[in-house]
Structures are given as structure tokens and as C-alpha cells.
Amino acid sequence: MKEFSEQDIERIENLIDHDDRKAAVEELRDMHPADIAELFQTLNLKQAEWVFNLIDDKEKKADVLMELDEEDRKKILENLNPEEIGEYIDLLDTDDAVDLIQELDEEEREEVIQHIDDVEQAGDIVDLLQYDEDTAGGLMGTELIAVNENWSMPECLKEMRRQAEDLDDIYYIYVVDDDNRLRGILPLKMLITHPSVSKIKHVMEKDPVLVKTDTPIDEVAIDFEKYDLVAMPVVDSIGRLVGQITVDDVMDEVREQSERDYQLASGISSDVDADDSVFAQTKARIPWLLIGIIGGIINSVILTGFEAQIAAVTVLAIFIPLIGGTGGNVGVQASAIVVQGLANGRLDIKNAWKQIGRECLIALLNAVVISSVVLVYVLLTQSHMYAVAFAVAASLFCVVIFATVFGTFVPLTLEKLKINPALATGPFIQITNDVVGLLIYVSMSTLMLRLVPLS
């Protein structure tokens, strides 16, 4: 991967400013498509289009398109006609081609597909577009090598050579029966050690790890990690081989999902980047900020009814931030553990009550420690204010219990409802725990002031 220094960027911008096409072509010729895509991030749209048009290899231009960020790619595509886009799609693997076409509107999609010269490629793309993009079918490509289980090794080698001509990479050789149902995988080692075997089915590895077209992407990623795979076959509902997913596609999807989850957990309601417009970023941020304002208003209403107690015992106000902060932190910790467990497959929604029980035990231990520490602190610093000390300690005990159980229960519920559980690690938990924590503190303080003398 090339690292662009300020001097490199200045040199390229100078070539653009002076319209030095010959020197720019030489500069770009040995650059990897990913490096060119990275270069685009430092250029404005006009400069990026100038550079893109100078790339003299159409296949390389197609690869550059796929390496670009979605927003940068969209800007380039807007200035290409359907025929040009079709030419680039012709040079891409089907999974990349589908990703690119999905970024176009419906009308433009149909027009682009009509300009794809390779009829088989166009047919594969149309088939893949029918799958949900968040499933294995939406992630897979159709480029692979498949051999029949009844072939001899010489027949297999001959067919492999023919199929390999159109492939950039070969990961596995898939073995199918006469109905194209997946039967196994033929390791490349077998081609060397068993050159004269009568039939492939005698040396193939049976029962390979596979996924169905409707398998969610997060489950696909778990299987890749679990079995240390570089590629995985995809079959339809009756076991016919329809494609394969490669590890680079999974990594890209996992990265994108992680970015979306991080933004969601931070209270950003839609996918945005640092260079998106002010309006787009404001639109993504404002919903949870407004909800936070509503939470703050609810807190102010609760405190209005608590004015008399605070006026009488002003020290009660000192511990309000402690109650809210502790509840928020505990809730986010609990929800983060659950979300992580759901993401990596170590936590099954079917065993939800087991996890809730475990978290209740953890909550109890944390509550005892936290409330005891604060009780001692208040007794030492607020001389003989036993009501305040017991109110703060008891409130913290209850808040920690509630926040932990709530932080565990919410992501499990969201997962059950097919809603992204990462939502539970963000402002939703913080705001809810703030409001509930304050209610607990107000109620507990009122009760303790009645039961326990101030000094």
C-alpha cells in the first residue's frame, strides 16, 4: 500500500493543474487501484474525474471504482453514461458488479444491465439482485470451479483448466453431482497425490462447511471465523451450488457493520462520513439529541416535585450527577457485553434467561460494592447526615440492579424483534437510566428523610 506524502499529492495536483496528461498516465500506471482510490480522497471532484479518465486500462478503472468509498463512487458514476458503466461491470466479479448496480436507481439499473455484453454475466447479476443484500445470497459471487463427482482425475483437470481461464483467484474446487448439488470439496493436494484416481468422489472431502442463500451475513461471518475459512460455498434450499463467498467480502461487510453499529451506539441514526454535507450529518445526529432533550425535560419535571426536599437538605443535589452517571455507565457495560456476545455468536438468544440470571448476580455484587463505598464516603464527609447517606447508598444499589438488568434485557429483546441490538448501547440506555435513576433517588430520599433523622 502506497503512502502519499504531501509532496506526492502536491506533485499530482501540479500535473492536474498543468494538464500534463503524459506524466500523469505514467504516474498512475504502476499504482494499485486501492492507492488510486485513496488518492481520490485528497482531490476535489473535478480533479478526481480528470485522474479517472486518464487510467488507460479499463479493468483497472473498474477495480478503482470498487475501491472507492460509496460517496466518491456515486459522484464518479453520476458522470458516466449507462453504456460506460455496463463496460466496467462486464470486467467485475459478479458480487462486486451487484454491489455497484445496487447503488443505482431502478431505472438506471435496467439500462445498465442492457449494456452488459456478457449475457451470462448479466443473467448472473439479475439472479443475484433478487437476494436480500444482508444475506449470503446477496454477498456471494458466481465465479468458482465446480467438477462432477463421477469424473476421473484427467477429466477433472481438463475442465478445471477451462473454467480457470475466467477466474482471477481459485480458492476451492467444489464437487457436485449430476443435479449440481454440492457433495464435497476437492483439495488441490489430491490432484498431485492421486493423479490416476478413477472417480473424484473417492478422494473428495465430504460434508464441507456451507451456508444457504438466506443465511444472515452476521452468521456467515461467525462461520468464517470459527472454521478459519478463505471461501465458503453457498447453496440453495435443495442443496444446489449457486455461488461462493470469499473472506475479503466478509471482512468488508464486517467493517461496514462495525461502523454502522458504532455510529448507532453513539446516537447517530444513519450512516454518515466525516466529509458528508452539514445537512446530512445534522439529520443523522438530531433525532437522538432531541430525545435526549425530552429526557432532560422529564428529569427537570421530576426535580420540580423534589424542590422542597432539596431546599431543606441541599446536600441531596450534590449526588444527582453520581446517580445518573453510575446508572448510565452500568447500563452501557451490560448492554455492550450482550451485543458483543450476539455479534460473535457466543450468546444465543435461546439462552437469554441464563444470561439475564448471570447479569443479575454480577449486578448484585457490583451494587453491594458501589453502595458500600459511597455509604462510607457520605458518612465521613457529611457529618451525621444518616438520611442522606442511606438514601444515596440505597438509590445506587437499586440503580445498579435496574441498569444492569435493563441493559441486558433490551439488546436481547431487540435481537428477538430483528432490530439491531447495537441501538441498546447508545443514548437509549443512557437516557432511560437517567430518568429511572432520578426517580429512584427522589423516591428513596423522600422515604429516608421520613424514616431517618438528619443527625
Side-chain angles (χ1 to χ4, degrees):
M1 179 69 72
K2 180 180 176 62
E3 292 289 338
F4 290 101
S5 65
E6 290 185 13
Q7 291 77 12
D8 292 332
I9 295 171
E10 287 178 6
R11 185 177 69 256
I12 293 171
E13 288 180 339
N14 187 53
L15 294 177
I16 296 172
D17 293 339
H18 291 84
D19 200 27
D20 192 342
R21 296 174 180 269
K22 184 177 179 180
V25 167
E26 290 300 318
E27 187 85 29
L28 295 169
R29 185 160 290 151
D30 296 328
M31 271 194 200
H32 189 278
D35 292 326
I36 297 176
E38 184 180 348
L39 174 64
F40 276 27
Q41 296 177 11
T42 66
L43 306 175
N44 60 43
L45 178 58
K46 187 176 180 180
Q47 292 173 325
E49 289 177 343
W50 189 88
V51 171
F52 183 77
N53 291 329
L54 282 184
I55 302 173
D56 51 10
D57 181 346
K58 281 193 174 182
E59 188 169 349
K60 190 172 185 177
K61 291 178 85 169
D63 289 336
V64 169
L65 273 176
M66 292 313 302
E67 293 289 346
L68 289 172
D69 290 338
E70 188 173 332
E71 287 300 316
D72 291 334
R73 180 164 56 246
K74 185 177 180 180
K75 292 173 184 176
I76 296 294
L77 290 175
E78 285 175 352
N79 292 287
L80 297 175
N81 60 53
E83 185 175 356
E84 290 177 302
I85 298 174
E87 289 178 1
Y88 296 134
I89 287 176
D90 239 341
L91 301 170
L92 294 171
D93 289 340
T94 50
D95 54 340
D96 289 333
V98 169
D99 289 342
L100 192 151
I101 286 181
Q102 284 176 332
E103 296 174 14
L104 307 174
D105 57 48
E106 290 289 341
E107 185 177 339
E108 196 172 8
R109 284 184 193 181
E110 294 180 8
E111 199 170 350
V112 167
I113 291 173
Q114 291 174 2
H115 286 95
I116 299 175
D117 293 332
D118 188 335
V119 177
E120 185 177 352
Q121 168 93 332
D124 288 340
I125 290 171
V126 170
D127 290 340
L128 291 177
L129 284 170
Q130 298 175 10
Y131 296 109
D132 188 326
E133 61 181 324
D134 292 325
T135 64
L139 190 62
M140 71 181 182
T142 58
E143 291 80 12
L144 51 80
I145 292 181
V147 298
N148 191 285
E149 63 180 348
N150 294 312
W151 289 349
S152 65
M153 194 64 77
E155 287 178 296
C156 176
L157 286 168
K158 181 180 178 181
E159 182 62 22
M160 283 172 54
R161 291 191 189 99
R162 185 188 69 78
Q163 294 183 35
E165 290 179 0
D166 299 324
L167 301 181
D168 294 327
D169 300 293
I170 299 174
Y171 298 96
Y172 297 118
I173 301 163
Y174 301 108
V175 182
V176 298
D177 62 14
D178 294 333
D179 296 318
N180 201 46
R181 287 176 296 192
L182 182 65
R183 292 304 185 194
I185 291 177
L186 180 64
L188 292 174
K189 179 181 177 181
M190 293 299 180
L191 298 176
I192 302 171
T193 57
H194 295 77
S196 59
V197 67
S198 59
K199 290 186 178 181
I200 297 300
K201 63 183 178 182
H202 297 316
V203 293
M204 70 180 183
E205 292 183 358
K206 298 180 181 180
D207 301 320
V209 179
L210 55 83
V211 289
K212 292 187 176 181
T213 52
D214 59 354
T215 303
I217 287 177
D218 53 352
E219 292 183 23
V220 175
I222 290 170
D223 283 344
F224 263 88
E225 181 184 11
K226 180 178 179 180
Y227 298 106
D228 294 326
L229 300 173
V230 294
M232 185 187 297
V234 184
V235 300
D236 63 13
S237 58
I238 59 174
R240 292 176 299 188
L241 180 66
V242 291
Q244 75 170 352
I245 298 173
T246 56
V247 66
D248 59 316
D249 295 323
V250 174
M251 290 176 62
D252 289 342
E253 190 61 36
V254 169
R255 176 183 57 80
E256 291 175 8
Q257 183 63 47
S258 297
E259 290 176 354
R260 287 195 293 269
D261 288 351
Y262 181 77
Q263 290 189 343
L264 190 59
S266 302
I268 300 175
S269 59
S270 60
D271 189 16
V272 292
D273 291 314
D275 57 353
D276 284 347
S277 68
V278 171
F279 176 76
Q281 293 204 42
T282 302
K283 184 180 177 183
R285 298 182 190 189
I286 201 68
W288 276 111
L289 293 177
L290 291 175
I291 293 172
I293 291 294
I294 294 172
I297 292 172
I298 293 172
N299 281 342
S300 66
V301 171
I302 294 171
L303 287 174
T304 300
F306 192 51
E307 282 181 326
Q309 289 90 333
I310 292 178
V313 188
T314 55
V315 73
L316 287 171
I318 297 175
F319 298 100
I320 292 175
L322 175 65
I323 301 295
T326 302
N329 290 336
V330 170
V332 169
Q333 283 183 349
S335 60
I337 292 295
V338 174
V339 170
Q340 183 184 40
L342 292 170
N344 60 30
R346 292 188 174 91
L347 177 58
D348 191 342
I349 190 68
K350 297 175 183 177
N351 300 322
W353 289 111
K354 182 179 179 180
Q355 180 65 22
I356 292 175
R358 178 194 292 267
E359 288 296 328
C360 284
L361 179 59
I362 295 171
L364 184 61
L365 294 173
N366 284 339
V368 169
V369 172
I370 291 172
S371 58
S372 298
V373 169
V374 173
L375 177 62
V376 172
Y377 169 78
V378 178
L379 288 174
L380 290 176
T381 58
Q382 307 296 328
S383 59
H384 305 300
M385 286 196 170
Y386 300 114
V388 173
F390 291 138
V392 174
S395 298
L396 279 173
F397 186 90
C398 295
V399 165
V400 170
I401 297 291
F402 170 80
T404 303
V405 174
F406 187 72
T408 303
F409 184 75
V410 169
L412 291 171
T413 303
L414 293 176
E415 177 73 10
K416 186 74 174 178
L417 297 174
K418 306 299 182 184
I419 301 173
N420 192 337
L423 177 67
T425 61
F428 180 68
I429 289 289
Q430 292 274 10
I431 294 167
T432 303
N433 284 332
D434 277 350
V435 173
V436 174
L438 189 56
L439 277 171
I440 291 173
Y441 184 50
V442 168
S443 302
M444 198 64 69
S445 298
T446 303
L447 177 63
M448 289 298 172
L449 288 172
R450 291 175 182 171
L451 297 178
V452 183
L454 286 175
S455 57

